[in-house]
Amino acid sequence: MGRVVHYRSFGTPGGEYASECRAAVVTEVPQYLTQEPMDGCPNGTDGEWIASLAVLGPSGTFFDRNVRQDEDSRDGGTWHWPERTD
Ligand SMILES: [Zn+2]
């Protein structure tokens, strides 16, 4: 709880806004995974971690629950560790 990660924002479909990294604070680490195919398995099974986040955007903070980890950070709406240089 309270660790800072990166949240990958959604870009707009037309490309007006690119998907970007946002700082996010972990607010909850759920006990169980919530998405198929590992719905109901303990969080962290096969390296699949989800977290609830407070995302710090330039124009406000928003909260999102059960966000999937994606260290490739290609997909919007995922989180990754911030050590990467992006
Ligand atoms: Zn990042």
Side-chain angles (χ1 to χ4, degrees), residues 28-86:
E28 178 186 46
V29 179
Q31 194 170 359
Y32 298 104
L33 296 170
T34 57
Q35 292 169 342
E36 296 295 340
M38 290 190 283
D39 189 16
C41 292
N43 200 359
T45 299
D46 287 347
E48 176 87 1
W49 286 97
I50 58 172
S52 299
L53 305 174
V55 180
L56 311 178
S59 59
T61 301
F62 72 94
F63 298 88
D64 202 358
R65 303 191 78 175
N66 303 325
V67 179
R68 185 172 60 85
Q69 183 180 14
D70 176 18
E71 286 301 321
D72 295 329
S73 70
R74 279 188 237 100
D75 296 334
T78 63
W79 71 270
H80 55 270
W81 294 111
E83 283 76 15
R84 301 154 41 94
T85 52
D86 55 7

